[in-house]
Amino acid sequence: MANQTVGFAYHPSPPSVPDWLNKGDNAWQMTASTLVALQSMPGLVILYGSIVKKKWAVNSAFMALYAFAAVLICWVLLCYRMAFGDELLPFWGKGAPALGQKYLLGRANVPASTHYHKDGTLETGRNEPLYPMATLVYFQFTFAAITMILLAGSVLGRMNIKAWMAFVPLWLIFSYTVGAFSLWGGGFLYQWGVIDYSGGYVIHVSSGIAGLTAAYWVGPRVRGDRERFSPNNVLLMLAGAGLLWMGWSGFNGGAPYAANTSAPIAILNTNICAATSLLVWTILDVIYFEKPSVIGAIQGMMTGLVCITPGAGLVQSWAAIVMGILAGSIPWFTMMILHKKSTLLQKVDDTLGVFHTHAVAGLLGGALTGLFAEPVLCNLLLPVKGSRGAFYGGNGGMQFLKQLVGALFVIVWNLISTSIILLLIRLVIPLRMPDNQLMIGDDAVHGEEAYALWGDGEKYDPAKHGSLFTEQIRPNQHHANNGAIGVTVQL
């Protein structure tokens, strides 16, 4: 035993373990990154591919797949440092590559995150997690990618895939990085004390507002798709939703940048709020439509996850239940009741209702964080010491106002930037598919179909296979409007 050598990985001081590295934090952050990445790939790829009509399954899944890959390359070439680098403007960082060995192996830091008192004295030092920059770059990429994919949910079933391919890098550069730097990277909203724990504004309000804006400029689906757009695989849809829910533990649990006491609070609150919201949404479906909807349950799960995100590690768990009740009822009302009565919302074809599940739920969560942010939990994490929600008195009323102003900035920026980007793209690429592609779907757009139902990959041809099937709208269709508008197939 005396002559036994110690493996290099377990050497007392290997060169790959500098003094500042915390192995536990690094391991957790890489795990959280993987969980968030799984929400997109394969989570939302599966969810999108199964929640749409069969003829759009491939196209919808591919839009998510493409966005995941394109965002990563843009992120390391330019966008990470626009969102988390040195300040260029109060709302934007200096873009630069995040690819060099020296940069990626050094200790992670967010340069503009230093916070000062009004008199100029230091209040909170620069945010410097105890792991390499490479870990932070990848973690933040997963957030950028899922934002882009969530936005895609508003334009499924008709956006020109070439226009989407151009839109992804442009929106990432000119919209996402602005919100990320302003609220997380040390920008003016961060310095002012606006709270966005893990992306209620940066991710969900921005994707919901940008998605609605994009849906307006791209235009609606064909009439048949708007009237009958039932999922092609409900069980697979649930699998995608399950990956999304479980991955949210990394989404909110990784936000403190460390395996500290804030992380498990955030994870517990995330699951409590999601479960509460799902149950409330389902109960409202049963009361109003007389039957529970699987799509409705997924929507309720989603709004609960979104609503808790701005304050996941900053509110007490009883507040997570309250937020879940409101997340399962207010977006339900805007989607199921208000949307059908609003002339403006009826004109915009938001395919998956991203405006309701993300913009409305994210705004609700940000406002409720301004009410329920608990002072002790805030002091564990936030750069502005003494932060608290209005429920706890003191300067809490001002915090609530800050939350509303922060949301307003994100909404206005995304409305303007998304519109400008799409109008510029429209000059060279049509935003909407031509009608012949819209009628056929995947086979016309990609030359591929999700299911080989008629033999060895061939598509159904009435002249060849005969008119075997007829579509008939279900009786009591008005009861199906809480989710899938189903179609019965009769021999």
Side-chain angles (χ1 to χ4, degrees):
M1 293 294 292
N3 296 326
Q4 184 176 358
T5 58
V6 178
F8 184 77
Y10 298 98
H11 190 277
S13 300
S16 59
V17 184
D19 293 339
W20 47 260
L21 179 69
N22 183 301
K23 292 183 179 180
D25 285 348
N26 195 33
W28 166 240
Q29 212 63 35
M30 290 190 290
T31 301
S33 301
T34 303
L35 288 170
V36 181
L38 286 170
Q39 291 182 287
S40 297
M41 260 300 296
L44 284 170
V45 171
I46 293 174
L47 180 63
Y48 283 5
S50 53
I51 201 172
V52 297
K53 292 178 77 169
K54 182 182 78 69
K55 75 173 189 175
W56 292 117
V58 172
N59 181 256
S60 300
F62 180 76
M63 286 179 69
L65 176 65
Y66 167 81
F68 190 82
V71 168
L72 177 56
I73 301 306
C74 295
W75 193 247
V76 296
L77 287 176
L78 179 68
C79 294
Y80 170 74
R81 295 174 76 169
M82 293 181 73
F84 296 95
D86 296 309
E87 181 177 320
L88 174 66
L89 297 170
F91 53 87
W92 230 349
K94 296 178 182 178
L99 290 167
Q101 172 183 322
K102 183 178 179 181
Y103 180 79
L104 294 175
L105 287 180
R107 182 174 172 178
N109 70 83
V110 182
S113 61
T114 306
H115 198 275
Y116 298 92
H117 291 288
K118 291 182 179 179
D119 61 4
T121 59
L122 180 68
E123 179 175 12
T124 305
R126 185 166 67 175
N127 198 339
E128 295 185 336
L130 301 176
Y131 42 75
M133 185 65 83
T135 301
L136 186 59
V137 170
Y138 186 74
F139 177 71
Q140 289 297 346
F141 147 69
T142 61
F143 282 77
I146 198 171
T147 308
M148 199 78 242
I149 296 171
L150 291 173
L151 191 164
S154 293
V155 292
L156 297 180
R158 84 281 199 176
M159 186 170 185
N160 186 335
I161 190 64
K162 294 177 182 177
W164 174 248
M165 293 172 73
F167 177 75
V168 168
L170 291 174
W171 191 85
L172 181 69
I173 293 169
F174 294 104
S175 189
Y176 181 81
T177 57
V178 170
F181 185 84
S182 299
L183 282 155
W184 290 343
F188 77 106
L189 294 177
Y190 169 92
Q191 298 294 342
W192 192 37
V194 177
I195 300 173
D196 187 7
Y197 178 84
S198 190
Y201 289 171
V202 176
I203 294 171
H204 301 296
V205 172
S206 64
S207 62
I209 295 299
L212 187 73
T213 306
Y216 171 79
W217 290 113
V218 172
R221 290 165 288 172
V222 293
R223 182 176 178 180
D225 282 354
R226 292 196 73 178
E227 292 176 350
R228 295 194 298 271
F229 207 73
S230 53
N232 68 82
N233 194 322
V234 173
L235 295 181
L236 201 59
M237 178 181 69
L238 282 169
L243 285 168
L244 201 64
W245 186 348
M246 295 302 100
W248 225 283
S249 292
F251 198 100
N252 288 345
Y257 291 162
N260 56 24
T261 54
S262 295
I265 291 289
I267 292 173
L268 180 61
N269 286 344
T270 297
N271 285 273
I272 288 173
C273 189
T276 304
S277 180
L278 184 154
L279 296 174
V280 170
W281 192 295
T282 300
I283 290 169
L284 289 172
D285 276 351
V286 170
I287 292 172
Y288 195 80
F289 299 110
E290 300 179 2
K291 63 180 71 172
S293 163
V294 175
I295 290 184
I298 291 175
Q299 289 166 334
M301 174 205 80
M302 184 78 73
T303 54
L305 293 167
V306 170
C307 183
I308 194 63
T309 293
L314 307 174
V315 302
Q316 297 190 65
S317 294
W318 63 263
I321 293 178
V322 175
M323 293 173 76
I325 293 171
L326 295 173
S329 54
I330 293 177
W332 181 92
F333 175 79
T334 65
M335 178 180 284
M336 300 301 171
I337 308 300
L338 184 62
H339 185 100
K340 297 170 184 176
K341 295 181 179 181
S342 169
T343 303
L344 176 62
L345 291 176
Q346 284 289 310
K347 288 181 179 179
V348 182
D349 181 17
D350 180 358
T351 307
L352 299 184
V354 178
F355 171 75
H356 302 284
T357 55
H358 293 274
V360 173
L363 177 59
L364 176 64
L368 291 173
T369 299
L371 296 178
F372 295 132
E374 202 277 332
V376 174
L377 295 174
C378 288
N379 283 334
L380 293 176
L381 200 67
L382 298 182
V384 181
K385 302 308 176 186
S387 297
R388 65 185 63 218
F391 184 82
Y392 296 93
N395 63 347
M398 186 61 184
Q399 186 64 56
F400 182 74
L401 177 62
K402 289 179 180 180
Q403 296 302 106
L404 298 181
V405 173
L408 181 63
F409 171 78
V410 173
I411 290 169
V412 172
W413 185 270
N414 277 277
L415 277 169
I416 295 173
S417 62
T418 305
S419 295
I420 292 174
I421 291 167
L422 287 169
L423 289 174
L424 289 174
I425 292 173
R426 192 170 71 175
L427 296 175
V428 292
I429 306 173
L431 298 179
R432 192 168 179 265
M433 295 179 193
D435 288 344
N436 64 319
Q437 291 186 352
L438 291 172
M439 296 302 296
I440 297 171
D442 290 337
D443 190 53
V445 180
H446 301 280
E448 299 164 315
E449 294 189 67
Y451 307 104
L453 297 179
W454 299 100
D456 191 17
E458 58 184 326
K459 68 178 182 178
Y460 170 64
D461 180 354
K464 182 177 180 181
H465 301 104
S467 182
L468 297 177
F469 291 83
T470 61
E471 282 191 337
Q472 178 181 342
I473 300 175
R474 283 179 180 164
N476 301 322
Q477 182 177 320
H478 63 283
H479 289 310
N481 288 339
N482 61 323
I485 301 178
V487 176
T488 58
V489 181
Q490 299 180 336
L491 285 175

